[in-house]
Amino acid sequence: MARILVASMPFAGHVGPMSAVAAELVRRGHEVVAYTGGKYRDRFIKAGASWLPWIKATDFDDADLAATFPAVGDGKGIRGTRANGEHVLFGTTAGQIADILAGAPYDLLVTDQVAFGGAIAGQALGIPWATVTVTPLSLTSHHLPPLGAPWLPATNALGRARDAALRGLTGAVYRRVSDPRLNRFRADVGLGPVRPGQLFDDIYSTDLIIAQGIPGLEYPRPDLPPYVHFVGRLAPASPSAATLSSAATPGGLAAAPEDGAGLAGEVTHAGEASPSDVAGRTAGGAPESGAGLISAARSPDPAVAGSAGLPEWWADLAAARAVIHVTQGTLDVDPADLLRPAMEGLADRDVLVVCTTGGADPATLGSLPGNARAAAFLPHDLLLPQVDVMVTNGGWGGVLAAIQAGVPLVVAGGSLDKPEVARRVRWSGAGLDLRTGTPKAARVAAAVDQVLADSGFRARARELGAAVTAAGGATRAGDLIEGLLTR
């Protein structure tokens, strides 16, 4: 049995796959220590892991980032993206490193790819470590445009020259912006500098990268390292229909999707605690009463908050000619961006529109069209088999869930990794990219009409879905991680 640290940024879309990995390692008999924020403590405890809290790292509520990091604002646009990187990703890195080092020793470390502190701590400890990609693979490549470029990979000489020129430009930016910050963190623990101009490549493990997804959803890259393994979708066990139906409630507050949509709420911070307190909590699983506990109410973990059951209108799905699921996931959940335009555009169609708010009371949507239904949460494993098209803002976990269920997509990705997700969906043939995070109602409706009318989208989604399942998920991830222990 090995002692394995699993580090996850406290975002719902990260906790879903990372808790699935943790549960699989526990199932195999390992001692798993979960390092994540207080909101998601119980998710890992229920998986059988112990908890190492964020103490030196500033804890936050992913449903209300601005409460802890005011500069993030609504998270939209270039300013919001920069603030997210500055305060959430880089701003918590030093604290993450300190917390993880204080909880050592470990035999192996598994971290999500934007938990920068986990990667640096793993290298500083000199132990095997694995990276889990909770978003599309962002390793740089000589065969692809830089991350964030608003076009698909080049198919001719002119396009390849364009991409090469842009790679040179972005590399110069990385040398001035991201490299110095990472190098400061690394120097503090005795590590050398990163390779210059490679964005976050040195935050990825060179022992093992467990990539959520499949080759059919990733651009071909001949320089893909041999230690990158696609495992499909990492998801915890889903609820049974019988269990949820027995808990059905008329208010429409249904179970959370398995990738964990968040709730809006108040943010709090973890209190200060000593390294000995950290070690005690790590060994015992739960913190003792008092020191280091979350000090005030925060929005609950959606996997817990969503246990109320299925909404009373659930039977309407079986009677519908076509079901269109609309979701904005866990971030950028302003309903004016996508939920309301989708309902407006589809109001005169002979379809049932099923919306999830990501945690807000469905009443915040106001009066719904006659063909629309809304819930705070719905379990994807029960919903998606009944869905004909999913309209989404591009959360990677939700997109993989739809693909695995054979559901074609309309993607309105506007921030962070979501435009990259949208482009991959378009490139794969499993759906359409609206190329904006705030589409007009008519544009959403036209895209849904196009996907419904063209059976090729569903056929491609089913083909890719079979590949997602065949890739092995958490079981395959467990095999790969255990392989590091035998080296």
Side-chain angles (χ1 to χ4, degrees):
M1 181 182 75
R3 188 169 193 261
I4 302 173
L5 182 82
V6 175
S8 175
M9 292 293 285
F11 290 99
H14 298 225
V15 169
M18 297 307 293
S19 63
V21 171
E24 177 63 20
L25 294 173
V26 169
R27 187 187 70 79
R28 293 168 182 244
H30 298 291
E31 178 190 353
V32 176
V33 180
Y35 178 63
T36 193
K39 176 176 176 177
Y40 293 106
R41 166 192 178 274
D42 286 351
R43 182 90 68 96
F44 287 93
I45 294 293
K46 289 179 179 178
S50 58
W51 179 53
L52 178 65
W54 279 39
I55 296 174
K56 297 296 185 182
T58 301
D59 201 356
F60 58 86
D61 185 343
D62 57 337
D64 192 7
L65 286 176
T68 306
F69 310 108
V72 172
D74 61 9
K76 297 179 183 178
I78 295 176
R79 179 176 296 179
T81 299
R82 286 177 177 171
N84 194 303
E86 174 73 25
H87 299 285
V88 182
L89 301 185
F90 285 113
T92 63
T93 296
Q96 292 176 41
I97 296 169
D99 289 341
I100 292 171
L101 294 181
Y106 320 102
D107 299 300
L108 187 146
L109 188 147
V110 182
T111 180
D112 89 48
Q113 91 271 25
V114 296
F116 296 163
I120 295 171
Q123 294 173 75
L125 289 167
I127 59 175
W129 63 291
T131 301
V132 177
T133 68
V134 296
T135 62
L137 195 64
S138 62
L139 285 173
T140 60
S141 170
H142 293 299
H143 301 271
L144 301 179
L147 184 72
W151 53 73
L152 298 179
T155 58
N156 55 42
L158 181 61
R160 286 188 286 272
R162 172 206 62 195
D163 290 350
L166 189 57
R167 286 196 299 271
L169 177 62
T170 54
V173 173
Y174 301 153
R175 289 182 180 93
R176 296 186 60 183
V177 177
S178 57
D179 289 1
R181 296 177 181 182
L182 291 174
N183 287 338
R184 284 195 294 272
F185 296 130
R186 293 172 64 86
D188 287 344
V189 291
L191 296 174
V194 298
R195 290 168 293 167
Q198 301 298 306
L199 189 56
F200 302 134
D201 283 10
D202 284 358
I203 294 298
Y204 282 91
S205 171
T206 56
D207 294 325
L208 171 64
I209 296 175
I210 297 169
Q212 272 208 112
I214 52 174
L217 286 167
E218 180 55 59
Y219 307 133
R221 48 169 88 198
D223 52 357
L224 186 71
Y227 47 82
V228 176
H229 299 268
F230 291 97
V231 299
R233 173 173 166 246
L234 296 169
S238 60
S240 69
T243 298
L244 292 175
S245 295
S246 67
T249 61
L253 187 62
E258 74 294 327
D259 61 354
L263 283 168
E266 297 181 359
V267 71
T268 59
H269 305 270
E272 289 294 319
S274 67
S276 60
D277 185 40
V278 173
R281 277 179 257 181
T282 302
E288 297 178 4
S289 176
L293 290 171
I294 300 302
S295 59
R298 68 166 71 235
S299 67
D301 177 349
V304 177
S307 61
L310 299 174
E312 62 180 3
W313 47 259
W314 185 257
D316 295 349
L317 276 71
R321 185 188 71 85
V323 176
I324 313 301
H325 175 40
V326 187
T327 175
Q328 290 182 213
T330 59
L331 293 173
D332 298 336
V333 292
D334 181 349
D337 291 348
L338 184 59
L339 293 180
R340 289 193 181 115
M343 287 191 293
E344 178 186 345
L346 297 169
D348 63 351
R349 303 299 202 270
D350 184 18
V351 299
L352 181 68
V353 181
V354 177
C355 298
T356 49
T357 64
D361 186 339
T364 61
L365 296 176
S367 178
L368 304 182
N371 67 341
R373 307 289 184 270
F377 307 111
L378 290 171
H380 272 164
D381 284 356
L382 300 181
L383 172 66
L384 289 175
Q386 304 185 68
V387 170
D388 295 278
V389 179
M390 179 162 135
V391 181
T392 172
N393 66 350
W396 191 226
V399 165
L400 288 175
I403 292 292
Q404 188 171 27
V407 177
L409 295 136
V410 172
V411 187
S415 65
L416 302 175
D417 62 298
K418 293 176 175 61
E420 288 286 347
V421 174
R423 284 189 285 273
R424 280 164 170 76
V425 168
R426 171 191 168 200
W427 173 83
S428 74
L432 298 176
D433 174 9
L434 297 183
R435 304 189 188 187
T436 177
T438 54
K440 300 295 185 183
R443 191 171 181 186
V444 176
V448 170
D449 289 345
Q450 181 179 345
V451 173
L452 285 173
D454 186 345
S455 62
F457 289 110
R458 178 168 282 275
R460 180 58 172 157
R462 286 174 172 167
E463 179 183 2
L464 293 172
V468 169
T469 298
T475 301
R476 176 60 176 153
D479 292 342
L480 291 165
I481 292 167
E482 287 193 324
L484 291 181
L485 295 170
T486 62
R487 288 186 182 181

